[in-house]
Amino acid sequence: MTSPAQNQHRPRTETSLKRSTLLALCACVVVAQSMVAAINLLVPQLRSSSVHPSESELLWTVDAYVIVFAGLLIPAGALGDRYGRKGALLSGLGLCATGATLSALATSPELLIAGRGVSGAGAALIMPATMSVLMRVTPPADRPRALASWTLSLALGGLLGNIGGGLVGEYLPWRALFWAMVPLAALLACAVWRTTPVTDKAVSTRLDPTGTVLLTFGLVAVLFGIIESPQYGWGSPRILTAFAVGAALLAAFTLHALRSRTPLFDPRVFRSRRLSAATLGMAASFFGLFALFFVNSQYLQYVKGYGAALAGLAIVPLTIGMTLIPKLTPRWSHRPRTLIGGGLLLIGLGLLGTSTADAGTPYPAYACWLLLISAGTGLSMPPLTLTVVSSLPPHQAGLGSGLGTSAREVGAALGVAVTGTVLAGHADFMGGMTAALRVVGAVVVLAAAAVTVTLGSGPERTGPERTAPPAAAESGDQGRRKEAVGS
């Protein structure tokens, strides 16, 4: 006879998803995503704090989390697939708590930045692990609804990050934000331990240390160039060097992956038009959203005169469509091209509408444009997420989640960088905001057209075994399941 404890840790082979498991996984996503947004509203406090960060150090305090997060996502997803997704999730929560503690205790900018980086590494473990578990324990018919909940968690994370950062920025010391993460991470770890099943491991997955180093440092170099470009200029030697190093490392990774028998992931997966189009769509949507986030708090505080807390709350309309629309999209899941193309188009049109706002624009009128962007995000993100993860075999769900989330974070970094560069080229904020949102909105509209055309063109062309048809992938995966259980 086996004890309940033994049963709890036995790999889950049947497909089932309990509500408690879904809530625990989504709560982890909310926390990981909230720390991306919350820090932006603390910049005024940090600037005048005893830590005395320079302008460059302030920028790195904001961006260290995103850089490490995006750079480690794909290796972290492969790590969870190979050695255990539940373990990766618990380790990620532990790293988030450790990084938050370092940031809360920081007496220098360097320690504050290091703490943010450690928390970003934790988030890189959390996000792919949550997606992988969902894909493993959810029946195929229920996956659109489960992924809609996962996508909603991203939106709620951004909302709660803005609200929490605004409240802390106005009423509490900045260290309170980081201290709050420690018991929260511990509570989530307990919830994950009790509710989340141990899924079978992908025994065929290899970590590929060489590929991991090349890919991670390549992405970090590119992101460094994107994020630092508003400060130093796109044509500065520092930025051009960063892009050149990043391009060289990513090219080296591609050559290594094509020659390796066990690559971290095979670049030929992007022969799949579905995967390529969905990745572009994710990057474009977050390109637009984070460009908006970057100017929104400044517009509301500097132009409209809102306090930090009220500016955080004023973003709430952006989550209404993200909350309500995904509940309807499973009914239309058989038409992903329409949902994705239409959703991206609404985001682009909403950004173009927001560019018309000025000091005299009533907040309700401004909020209507936020609602349009919100509706577009709610329409497009669930089918985009499902398209990415379903384009790969189920045992590589962690890789699929890593690719999708990397696309989001790179898009977010690029949106902030482009917006910052356009703002820097204008003497007044409102002129810069108008120009920036028009550029970003036009790019998202063009991306919507490109994604729609790509998703609807001709027969699908696949890469090697990793993009095999779902039935074949499931068949091979079931063999691995039996092997995992037998061991």
Side-chain angles (χ1 to χ4, degrees):
M1 299 216 17
T2 57
S3 67
Q6 288 173 317
N7 285 331
Q8 180 184 6
H9 297 288
R10 177 171 293 174
R12 177 70 63 91
T13 58
E14 72 272 13
T15 53
S16 61
L17 178 63
K18 295 181 179 179
R19 182 178 294 274
S20 58
T21 302
L22 179 62
L23 289 175
L25 295 175
C26 288
C28 292
V29 173
V30 168
V31 170
Q33 192 67 24
S34 68
M35 292 304 288
V36 177
I39 193 69
N40 290 288
L41 291 158
L42 295 183
V43 168
Q45 251 200 55
L46 286 169
R47 183 178 281 114
S48 59
S49 71
S50 60
V51 178
H52 297 305
S54 66
E55 289 302 314
S56 176
E57 288 166 339
L58 269 176
L59 183 65
W60 277 102
T61 299
V62 174
D63 291 334
Y65 186 95
V66 178
I67 289 177
V68 178
F69 187 6
L72 291 180
L73 270 165
I74 294 175
L79 187 71
D81 285 343
R82 179 67 180 86
Y83 290 108
R85 302 167 183 92
K86 183 173 181 177
L89 182 51
L90 292 170
S91 299
L93 290 168
L95 281 175
C96 280
T98 301
T101 302
L102 286 174
S103 296
L105 294 173
T107 56
S108 66
E110 293 78 13
L111 189 58
L112 177 60
I113 293 167
R116 289 280 290 167
V118 172
S119 292
L125 283 167
I126 288 170
M127 297 294 276
T130 56
M131 173 66 72
S132 293
V133 172
L134 277 181
M135 290 297 292
R136 304 299 290 175
V137 303
T138 306
D142 295 336
R143 283 176 187 168
R145 193 174 299 277
L147 289 176
S149 298
W150 190 91
T151 304
L152 172 60
S153 301
L154 292 174
L156 291 178
L159 168 65
L160 294 178
N162 276 282
I163 293 175
L167 291 173
V168 170
E170 190 151 340
Y171 300 114
L172 295 171
W174 62 268
R175 298 178 192 271
L177 176 69
F178 299 108
W179 282 126
M181 276 296 300
V182 179
L184 181 57
L187 181 63
L188 286 175
C190 291
V192 167
W193 180 262
R194 292 183 60 86
T195 65
T196 303
V198 177
T199 59
D200 53 296
K201 301 172 185 176
V203 296
S204 63
T205 301
R206 298 292 183 268
L207 294 184
D208 183 18
T210 301
T212 298
V213 170
L214 291 172
L215 179 62
T216 300
F217 283 94
L219 286 174
V220 168
V222 171
L223 287 170
F224 175 90
I226 291 172
I227 292 170
E228 290 287 307
S229 58
Q231 182 175 358
Y232 295 101
W234 288 94
S236 70
R238 179 180 302 215
I239 300 305
L240 292 177
T241 300
F243 284 135
V245 170
L249 289 173
L250 292 176
F253 167 78
T254 301
L255 291 174
H256 166 77
L258 291 174
R259 294 174 179 175
S260 174
R261 292 185 177 180
T262 57
L264 182 66
F265 81 94
D266 195 322
R268 286 171 290 188
V269 296
F270 288 108
R271 287 180 178 178
S272 165
R273 280 191 300 275
R274 293 177 67 245
L275 180 62
S276 299
T279 303
L280 173 62
M282 284 184 166
S285 62
F286 270 59
F287 175 77
L289 286 173
F290 274 75
L292 176 65
F293 290 157
F294 188 75
V295 299
N296 175 73
S297 61
Q298 298 179 68
Y299 168 70
L300 293 175
Q301 292 184 75
Y302 300 151
V303 178
K304 301 296 287 184
Y306 291 12
L310 186 56
L313 289 169
I315 201 70
V316 168
L318 196 59
T319 65
I320 293 176
M322 297 181 192
T323 304
L324 299 179
I325 300 295
K327 296 180 179 180
L328 303 175
T329 53
R331 303 178 185 178
W332 309 320
S333 58
H334 61 288
R335 304 182 67 183
R337 181 188 178 198
T338 302
L339 292 175
I340 292 171
L344 290 173
L345 180 61
L346 289 179
I347 294 173
L349 294 177
L351 289 167
L352 292 174
T354 307
S355 71
T356 64
D358 56 26
T361 301
Y363 174 74
Y366 181 74
C368 287
W369 295 118
L370 298 182
L371 286 170
L372 187 64
I373 296 170
S374 176
T377 306
L379 278 175
S380 61
M381 288 309 297
L384 279 171
T385 303
L386 182 59
T387 300
V388 168
V389 297
S390 65
S391 296
L392 294 169
H395 70 278
Q396 288 189 309
L399 170 60
S401 175
L403 287 172
T405 309
S406 291
R408 293 187 190 100
E409 298 307 320
V410 171
L414 186 57
V416 171
V418 169
T419 303
T421 300
V422 176
L423 284 173
H426 289 75
D428 64 305
F429 173 78
M430 283 310 308
M433 173 179 162
T434 298
L437 289 178
R438 286 178 180 172
V439 169
V440 172
V443 169
V444 176
V445 170
L446 291 174
V451 170
T452 303
V453 170
T454 303
L455 286 175
S457 59
E460 179 68 358
R461 184 186 177 198
T462 60
E465 175 255 342
R466 288 170 183 77
T467 55
E474 284 287 357
S475 175
D477 198 52
Q478 298 213 1
R480 278 181 286 273
R481 274 205 276 259
K482 293 176 182 177
E483 181 182 345
V485 174
S487 62

